[in-house]
Amino acid sequence: KPKTDSTLDSIRAAIEGRGRLMVSVSRSEEILTCVEACNAYGIKPVLVGASGAGSVADKIRGKVTGVIVTSTASANALAKSGIPVAFGSGAEEGAADLPFYVASGVHLGLSPAVVVQSLTADAATILGIEDRVGRLAPGLDGDILLLDGSPLDISSKVLRVWIDGEEIE
């Protein structure tokens, strides 16, 4: 039996459908080449960054798991094309800036429905955890926040919180 290279386990998992392959790309030509190469091995990659994805959305629809965007420029075009979109902060500490990033996206014309879906169901699908989280449904893990305003308004305050069905005070 041949030896296996454990450094390739993540690629093997993606080929077998047990994991996601995330690829950082930006230009439209680079995106198309990446998607074609991955698809040749049965992989639907997750594109990260992919600033040029909006211009090739029709060519990659159904061929990618989704796109983690780091700017709002192509998010609307991708979502309108039926490609799942999630917002990425680019760093652990960058997650604190996501509310401002999302609010600015809405301010610049991003659909509030696209924003909410990208933060919930689409993000879970892209990460391959949609069987556990991403929607409020029986059998899924879910936490609920009650806010005094829109979840897309950075001035909204948290009034109540439920985690695993229990209210936290």
Side-chain angles (χ1 to χ4, degrees):
K1 184 174 181 178
K3 291 184 180 181
T4 59
D5 184 347
S6 63
T7 63
L8 301 175
D9 284 348
S10 58
I11 294 172
R12 185 176 304 109
I15 290 171
E16 294 171 354
R18 298 180 292 109
R20 300 288 194 249
L21 181 64
M22 297 187 178
V23 184
S24 178
V25 289
S26 54
R27 297 185 333 267
S28 56
E29 303 83 22
E30 183 179 58
I31 291 165
L32 293 173
T33 301
C34 167
V35 170
E36 183 180 332
C38 287
N39 288 178
Y41 291 94
I43 299 172
K44 290 173 65 174
V46 173
L47 305 180
V48 180
S51 57
S55 65
V56 294
D58 289 341
K59 294 179 182 178
I60 63 172
R61 182 186 317 108
K63 298 178 180 180
V64 297
T65 299
V67 180
I68 299 176
V69 296
T70 53
S71 75
T72 56
S74 61
N76 239 349
L78 293 167
K80 286 180 181 177
S81 292
I83 297 172
V85 175
F87 291 101
S89 64
E92 286 180 30
E93 40 303 321
D97 295 331
L98 277 176
F100 299 101
Y101 178 67
V102 168
S104 71
V106 172
H107 180 72
L108 294 171
L110 206 58
S111 158
V114 167
V115 170
V116 170
Q117 187 160 330
S118 71
L119 293 171
T120 56
D122 280 357
T125 298
I126 288 170
L127 296 174
I129 56 174
E130 69 276 10
D131 60 332
R132 295 191 343 252
V133 297
R135 297 173 290 114
L136 291 177
L140 299 185
D141 295 341
D143 302 332
I144 299 174
L145 300 176
L146 175 63
L147 306 172
D148 67 356
S150 168
L152 304 177
D153 181 352
I154 60 173
S155 65
S156 293
K157 305 277 187 265
V158 175
L159 300 176
R160 296 169 73 183
V161 176
W162 291 266
I163 297 176
D164 291 329
E166 299 291 326
E167 185 171 5
I168 305 302
E169 296 187 37

